[in-house]
Amino acid sequence: MTTTTAGVLFILSLLAALVAVYRPFGDYMYRVVSGTRQSRVERGVYHLVGVDPAAEQTWGVYARSVLAFSAISILFLYAFQRLQHHLWLSLGLDPVVPHGAWNTAVSFVTNTNWQWYSGESTMGHLVQMAGLAVQNFASAAVGIAVAVALVRGFARRHTGELGNFWVDMTRIVLRILLPIALLGALALMIGGTVQNLSGGTEVTTLTGGTQTITGGPVASQEVIKELGTNGGGFYNVNSAHPFENPSAWTNWLEIFLLLLIPFSLPRVFGRIVGQHRQGYAIAAVMGVLALASVTLTNVFELTGHGTVPEAVGAALEGKEVRFDVSNSATFAAATTLTSTGAVNSFHDSFTALGGGMLLSNMMLGEVAPGGVGAGLYGILILAVITVFVAGLMVGRTPEYVGKKIGSREIKFASVYFLVTPTLVLVGTAAAFATGNNSTALNVGPHGLSEVLYAFTSASNNNGSAFAGITVNTPWWNTALGLCMLLGRFLPIILVLALAGSLARQTPTPASDGTLPTHRPLFVGMVVGVTVILSALTFLPALALGPLAEGL
């Protein structure tokens, strides 16, 4: 079997698995976020934090709850890192430097998981387990909760209430993330992923020297890293490490986990608004963009130009031989199409056009399918913009699932779309203007790509890195931390404000002047608007970076 054939079968098996779980898993998530029964554990949580589970919140209260929870989480995680040398299972490691602790705290709370450090030599086991891994659950739950609140805005009428953030987050963690994470961790352990509390084992090498084989609670963090589209690895080389990702089938499982929730959430959207076809349409948009990206990334890596790639038949540099080029390219495309940021290959070593595809995936807004929750509310924002643009073009009433898209709604959607490009382009310009654009090995177009990738990854809450830049400096940790904060919470505030505006409306019955939003025509329009808006925004920067290098 050729590498290409194996890669195609790998992709088709992933597609088949996602199609198979779309309906049952989507229906399960719908029951979780729409149910009224509270378990004993959930009632205990509500009593502990002083929450009335029957009380609903307006968009402003919901937003303040998200911000308050996230602010406390950042402070807690910052203190955890600064005090780790006093904690159990610190492994004798020093406290994390202040600017690094700030960056990491913001990174994990915003579901970015950008890592300037080597996990095995910087973070003790307790910080990894009770700090970083816990935020992997919490940040993922926040994203899903915000997406559900937006969908409720489309579904509800004459109300300002969008649900209760504390109830949504608790249910999502306890009923969705924890059960799947437990089963996934067991599967990874069976596949060879490490799970222990070892501080390291000294072994004698073949040459007679000694080497420390590090251990730790890897499987439990690895599974939520992918399932919650977080991406922060226990080890420096992330999912390229054999202790995190031992074989081809664990590689398949990790990709499946990172796509599972984002591709199933459109089913929740369809169920809540009472129109299954709307969910299928959104899933189709995600699927078209994802398949195009995965295909192009594979093509660029399997047909890479250059003396060595052409001699061996593919761009092997920076790839793990146990995954081969195609599966590495598929992983890279999946992790940048979502907000995961996990890597099983070195993105800086991809071909110029292959690396350009990874950049483009994030520049689309990570909506194909995007991060858990963030992908759904991102694509719904683009659907709103598409409906408005289509209405202007053909003179039809701008409506989406029965709600009018007026000036207020389109302002929220437009500002949402502008947040990330502003952070990316201003941040990249600031790095060059202040002389913080120096790279270790590369100058010219590739050096520009490295800086552009860093700000694109941070601002989109992705977390993967092109590498090549020394980012463990006060300037980089501060700048990227600010991009993560603004790139996460400004869009969330705008999404919730839009949800509140929609929930107060009276639904408008469909008429001959209403644009059908469940048909292939609308799917194609949303795909086109997504690509065109991203191209208009980022093409000049891409032309100076990966496109110039590729040509």
Side-chain angles (χ1 to χ4, degrees):
M1 183 183 296
T2 65
T3 299
T4 301
T5 302
V8 170
L9 292 176
F10 187 89
I11 295 168
L12 290 178
S13 64
L14 276 170
L15 178 61
L18 291 169
V19 170
V21 301
Y22 172 80
R23 185 168 179 170
F25 185 58
D27 288 344
Y28 173 72
M29 288 195 291
Y30 164 76
R31 291 192 295 271
V32 169
V33 300
S34 301
T36 56
R37 291 185 177 181
Q38 313 292 343
S39 70
R40 182 176 298 178
V41 174
E42 290 165 358
R43 289 194 297 270
V45 172
Y46 304 145
H47 178 74
L48 182 65
V49 298
V51 171
D52 178 5
E56 294 212 352
Q57 299 173 324
T58 63
W59 80 264
V61 178
Y62 204 103
R64 289 195 293 274
S65 298
V66 171
L67 295 176
F69 175 77
S70 300
I72 293 172
S73 297
I74 290 173
L75 292 174
F76 173 81
L77 191 52
Y78 177 85
F80 218 171
Q81 295 173 82
R82 294 289 295 143
L83 298 173
Q84 82 159 346
H85 57 299
H86 295 303
L87 302 176
W88 180 56
L89 292 176
S90 67
L91 308 180
L93 296 174
D94 295 329
V96 181
V97 295
H99 59 84
W102 138 265
N103 182 278
T104 302
V106 169
S107 176
F108 277 76
V109 172
T110 59
N111 199 243
T112 309
N113 294 48
W114 170 272
Q115 293 176 284
W116 54 268
Y117 59 89
S118 298
E120 63 268 45
S121 60
T122 307
M123 302 294 179
H125 289 345
L126 189 63
V127 172
Q128 293 268 25
M129 290 187 296
L132 306 185
V134 166
Q135 287 307 315
N136 284 349
F137 283 93
S139 64
V142 167
I144 298 173
V146 171
V148 170
L150 175 60
V151 176
R152 289 183 185 133
F154 282 108
R156 294 184 175 184
R157 63 181 68 185
H158 300 303
T159 181
E161 297 177 339
L162 299 174
N164 188 308
F165 167 73
W166 306 103
V167 173
D168 290 337
M169 189 187 70
T170 301
R171 286 181 176 176
I172 290 165
V173 170
L174 294 180
R175 301 191 195 182
I176 298 175
L177 298 178
L178 271 174
I180 301 175
L182 176 60
L183 295 175
L186 292 174
L188 289 177
M189 289 167 63
I190 292 171
T193 303
V194 170
Q195 181 73 15
N196 57 44
L197 295 178
S198 170
T201 303
E202 293 287 340
V203 298
T204 302
T205 66
L206 293 175
T207 60
T210 59
Q211 181 179 350
T212 301
I213 306 298
T214 57
V218 181
S220 56
Q221 184 165 324
E222 185 72 11
V223 65
I224 190 58
K225 166 186 121 179
E226 311 296 1
L227 179 64
T229 61
N230 294 285
F234 192 94
Y235 294 101
N236 182 41
V237 293
N238 208 277
S239 291
H241 199 290
F243 287 2
E244 287 196 31
N245 192 5
S247 63
W249 79 261
T250 60
N251 190 59
W252 185 96
L253 178 60
E254 292 190 11
I255 298 175
F256 174 75
L257 286 172
L258 66 90
L259 296 172
L260 174 60
I261 295 177
F263 263 126
S264 299
L265 277 174
R267 176 71 178 181
V268 181
F269 167 61
R271 288 291 304 270
I272 292 178
V273 299
Q275 301 181 51
H276 296 311
R277 295 180 299 179
Q278 299 292 349
Y280 287 125
I282 292 299
V285 173
M286 292 176 171
V288 169
L289 291 169
L291 282 175
S293 171
V294 170
T295 300
L296 288 173
T297 306
N298 271 272
V299 168
F300 292 144
E301 293 307 297
L302 291 170
T303 60
H305 296 296
T307 303
V308 175
E310 290 176 0
V312 300
L316 284 170
E317 182 186 347
K319 313 294 194 304
E320 278 293 313
V321 293
R322 67 184 186 278
F323 303 139
D324 73 49
V325 173
S326 180
N327 291 356
S328 297
T330 299
F331 194 108
T335 198
T336 49
L337 285 166
T338 61
S339 66
T340 309
V343 297
N344 75 346
S345 56
F346 199 48
H347 290 186
D348 196 40
S349 294
F350 273 50
T351 63
L353 296 181
M357 277 305 306
L358 305 185
L359 264 170
S360 300
N361 290 341
M362 294 185 289
M363 290 172 174
L364 289 175
E366 293 181 321
V367 294
V372 287
L376 179 61
Y377 63 68
I379 199 67
L380 290 177
I381 291 289
L382 288 166
V384 166
I385 294 174
T386 301
V387 167
F388 187 79
V389 171
L392 293 177
M393 293 174 63
V394 301
R396 290 194 172 191
T397 306
E399 300 169 5
Y400 190 53
V401 292
K403 295 299 179 73
K404 290 184 179 180
I405 308 302
S407 61
R408 180 180 177 85
E409 289 75 25
I410 199 63
K411 286 175 184 176
F412 287 136
S414 300
V415 176
Y416 172 97
F417 180 80
L418 291 173
V419 168
T420 301
T422 300
L423 294 173
V424 172
L425 299 177
V426 171
T428 302
F432 281 92
T434 58
N436 286 284
N437 60 300
S438 58
T439 62
L441 300 173
N442 299 291
V443 294
H446 197 82
L448 172 62
S449 295
E450 291 174 345
V451 176
L452 181 64
Y453 194 105
F455 280 100
T456 303
S457 179
S459 302
N460 282 282
N461 301 131
N462 182 276
S464 63
F466 229 42
I469 311 173
T470 302
V471 293
N472 184 23
T473 66
W475 190 92
W476 274 102
N477 278 331
T478 302
L480 294 179
L482 289 173
C483 286
M484 295 176 209
L485 275 178
L486 297 175
R488 174 72 164 180
F489 295 114
L490 285 181
I492 282 178
I493 293 171
L494 293 166
V495 165
L496 292 173
L498 174 61
S501 178
L502 293 169
R504 287 190 293 269
Q505 289 188 23
T506 301
T508 303
S511 66
D512 292 338
T514 303
L515 173 69
T517 56
H518 59 271
R519 297 176 180 172
L521 175 61
F522 184 73
V523 171
M525 290 175 64
V526 177
V527 170
V529 166
T530 302
V531 173
I532 291 170
L533 287 179
S534 299
L536 290 174
T537 305
F538 292 110
L539 186 59
L542 290 172
L544 294 173
L547 293 180
E549 183 184 2
L551 296 174

